[in-house]
Amino acid sequence: GIANDFFVHNEDAWIVPHQSASEMAAAFTKLLRDQSLRQRLGLCARERVLKVFTIEKMISDFESIYSKGTLK
């Protein structure tokens, strides 16, 4: 899924199968009960987003997409 393209399970996200209500409920329960896990995941996710989604990277990606589109 899309989340797997950007985040790493148990490093900066808690990723569960999207069609598994029981696994999602278990993940929410674990996150609700474990403040340190919430804080660690949140901080790591923030760091990844700030590193991966810089304005320079976004501009470069858009330029690449547009240049490929104009060459076809």
Side-chain angles (χ1 to χ4, degrees):
I2 293 173
N4 292 331
D5 295 339
F6 297 107
F7 299 104
V8 178
H9 176 72
N10 203 26
E11 184 177 309
D12 52 21
W14 200 266
I15 300 171
V16 297
H18 70 279
Q19 295 180 340
S20 178
S22 62
E23 288 187 56
M24 187 158 302
F28 281 135
T29 301
K30 181 170 182 59
L31 289 169
L32 285 170
R33 292 182 178 164
D34 191 337
Q35 181 179 2
S36 65
L37 177 62
R38 289 192 314 270
Q39 289 175 334
R40 181 177 59 80
L41 291 176
L43 289 172
C44 290
R46 183 178 191 281
E47 287 176 20
R48 181 179 298 271
V49 167
L50 291 174
K51 183 171 72 172
V52 172
F53 297 104
T54 65
I55 190 68
E56 294 83 8
K57 173 107 172 67
M58 302 287 281
I59 290 170
S60 174
D61 289 350
F62 279 118
E63 287 175 340
S64 176
I65 290 168
Y66 284 118
S67 69
K68 289 177 184 174
T70 58
L71 295 176
K72 290 184 180 178

